[in-house]
Amino acid sequence: MTNAELNQRRQQATPRGIGVMCNFFAERAENATLWDVEGREYIDFAAGIAVLNTGHRHAKIIEAVTRQLTQFTHTAYQIVPYESYVSLAEKINQRVPIAGPCKTAFFSTGAEAVENAVKIARAHTGRPGVIAFGGAFHGRTFMTMALTGKVAPYKLGFGPFPGQVFHARYPNALHGVSTEEALASLETLFKTDIDPKQVAAIILEPVQGEGGFNIAPADFMRALRELCDRHGILMIADEVQAGFARTGEMFAMEHYPDVEVDLLTMAKSLAGGLPLSAVAGKAEVMDAPAPGGLGGTYAGNPLALAAAHAVLDIIDGERLCERSRRLGSELAEVLNGLKTECAAIAEVRALGSMVAVELNDPATGQPSAELTRLVQQKALENGLLLLSCGTYGNVIRFLYPLTIPDAQFKRALAILSDALKAI
């Protein structure tokens, strides 16, 4: 069985709408290493799109899921509940950076978590409107597509989308959007599109994922909290990609100690490769929907819950927040050091191990998706798997497992350096 044969079968059996980046097929994986069906080895700096902060097949996760398999795999929590759901909710409630009593509900995907956060916000406020930001990514369902601030490829041909969703500008100094201009865009929405008294929630990623790893400035976050308080609007942090030690803290909102959100969504690395998501928030907000208003057949699957309990133990036991900060600092230092040899580097952004490099055409100064693809290609030829992102497709994001061995990490940085120098 070869990659070419499998690609031919894939094209015949699956629709073109399921875009696939790599032309090889995985056979096995361990920590930060992937092997394809032909035996080639790759260093995985994609981690299933930020799902594997604890690496492929961590022994503690395998052990926890195996143990759960010997007990039961499914009852539907809403029909027959189980202790692991309750105890994981208790742990999350203690860890989210929200003061006072908190509650948590579990779902399966990040999009489900965001959808349910919107439901909870509307139930609590009695208002319909939701404001998101340009460059945001919140999912692929109809509500989350409406919230997502990027058209291609996520929205093409899929409209119309749910109403009462509006977009403001997200601060981005490199692209000329200051905190003041971003806040002014919100005030413009209130004058031209929706009365703030009709807005249930403002949702944002503290660090935009698909948008290019853009980090929200602290003054913007403070002003946004004040605006929400002034108008009775809930503030929702989407930490689907940023959570679970990726930014050097358990949650990215911990980088804003004087800003507290009302609801926080999470998924991806929560369960180390198994599908699990959650909404956590202030108890009085979380309790707004009536009994039966939240849930799902597979929401809070016991196998995924077992994995999530193990993930929290791994993050604590292996000090992954601290390791995230160290690895991210090393990577950012290498990238900044390459600016003299790679004129295409426009900016390096880093918060813990949520690191990105933005590439522009040196001749024009314009965003270059072409150069970004070239770096990806050259890195892949030498065994390093990278992901791109950004509104213009000109950002490389780094999502290595935080458990990656130091020697392998240094080898990856050497491959990356060569790829950037080559352009």
Side-chain angles (χ1 to χ4, degrees):
M1 181 170 56
T2 66
N3 288 311
E5 291 167 344
L6 286 170
N7 267 310
Q8 186 173 14
R9 288 169 56 189
R10 175 182 67 82
Q11 291 165 7
Q12 293 172 345
T14 64
R16 70 188 185 105
I18 302 175
V20 176
M21 187 181 81
C22 294
N23 63 358
F24 61 86
F25 285 71
E27 182 173 68
R28 61 190 177 94
E30 191 72 32
N31 200 358
T33 308
L34 278 167
W35 290 268
D36 73 6
V37 294
E38 296 176 4
R40 294 185 185 88
E41 179 180 314
Y42 299 91
I43 302 173
D44 186 2
F45 266 38
I49 317 179
V51 168
L52 300 165
N53 288 357
T54 53
H56 291 277
R57 300 180 64 252
H58 195 289
K60 288 185 177 179
I61 294 175
I62 292 174
E63 179 185 0
V65 174
T66 301
R67 184 166 57 248
Q68 182 61 48
L69 277 168
T70 67
Q71 298 172 314
F72 58 92
T73 62
H74 180 75
T75 65
Y77 179 78
Q78 302 96 293
I79 306 303
V80 180
Y82 28 91
E83 188 275 341
S84 59
Y85 187 113
V86 176
S87 57
L88 185 62
E90 291 170 337
K91 291 179 181 178
I92 296 295
N93 294 339
Q94 292 171 357
R95 289 170 180 262
V96 289
I98 300 173
C102 290
K103 292 190 175 183
T104 295
F106 295 107
F107 305 96
S108 299
T109 68
E112 270 190 282
V114 172
E115 290 257 356
N116 279 279
V118 171
K119 287 165 57 177
I120 293 164
R122 285 176 167 172
H124 178 74
T125 62
R127 303 173 177 185
V130 184
I131 295 174
F133 290 89
F137 180 82
H138 295 294
R140 296 174 181 267
T141 58
F142 270 94
M143 173 53 74
T144 57
M145 275 194 294
L147 294 169
T148 290
K150 185 176 181 180
V151 174
Y154 305 112
K155 297 186 178 186
L156 291 177
F158 295 140
F161 302 107
Q164 296 297 294
V165 174
F166 307 90
H167 287 88
R169 303 181 78 186
Y170 192 95
N172 188 323
L174 183 65
H175 292 276
V177 183
S178 66
T179 288
E180 291 73 21
E181 288 168 320
L183 293 170
S185 73
L186 283 161
E187 296 297 340
T188 298
L189 284 179
F190 294 154
K191 289 184 180 355
T192 63
D193 291 293
I194 185 169
D195 181 349
K197 294 182 177 60
Q198 291 298 306
V199 178
I202 295 177
I203 183 170
L204 85 161
E205 300 157 277
V207 184
Q208 288 191 326
E210 174 63 19
F213 282 22
N214 304 307
I215 304 166
D219 61 343
F220 175 72
M221 296 294 275
R222 288 192 294 269
L224 195 60
R225 179 69 268 181
E226 189 278 328
L227 180 148
C228 287
D229 290 339
R230 186 174 359 124
H231 295 295
I233 298 169
L234 297 185
M235 187 172 173
I236 304 173
D238 180 342
E239 295 226 22
V240 167
Q241 188 161 166
F244 299 97
R246 176 52 56 183
T247 67
E249 300 288 353
M250 182 64 77
F251 296 103
M253 283 306 303
E254 293 177 64
H255 293 281
Y256 308 95
D258 53 351
V259 178
E260 184 178 287
V261 296
D262 301 289
L263 297 169
L264 190 150
T265 64
M266 62 197 83
K268 289 192 182 287
S269 278
L270 168 59
L274 276 71
L276 184 68
S277 66
V279 182
K282 296 178 179 178
E284 68 272 19
V285 177
M286 292 293 295
D287 277 339
L294 304 177
T297 302
Y298 296 103
N301 172 268
L303 298 174
L305 290 170
H309 278 282
V311 164
L312 295 182
D313 290 341
I314 294 163
I315 290 174
D316 289 344
E318 300 186 19
R319 303 175 69 178
L320 292 190
C321 288
E322 179 181 318
R323 184 168 174 76
S324 173
R325 293 191 291 270
R326 178 171 69 79
L327 294 177
S329 178
E330 289 181 22
L331 173 55
E333 184 178 352
V334 167
L335 291 170
N336 282 311
L338 286 167
K339 286 180 177 178
T340 56
E341 297 179 77
C342 180
I345 295 178
E347 187 172 68
V348 176
R349 296 185 285 275
L351 192 63
S353 278
M354 203 160 183
V355 182
V357 59
E358 184 156 350
L359 302 177
N360 288 348
D361 186 325
T364 65
Q366 295 302 304
S368 179
E370 181 181 352
L371 287 177
T372 304
R373 285 191 293 270
L374 186 60
V375 172
Q376 281 183 288
Q377 177 186 335
K378 289 185 176 297
L380 192 61
E381 288 172 357
N382 289 291
L384 177 62
L385 179 60
L386 299 174
L387 289 181
S388 63
C389 63
T391 302
Y392 305 99
N394 69 319
V395 180
I396 295 175
R397 53 179 157 171
F398 303 94
L399 291 168
Y400 45 84
L402 303 177
T403 52
I404 184 171
D406 286 347
Q408 187 179 35
F409 187 69
K410 293 185 185 304
R411 193 161 69 250
L413 296 190
I415 295 171
L416 172 65
S417 297
D418 288 344
L420 285 166
K421 290 174 186 177
I423 65 166

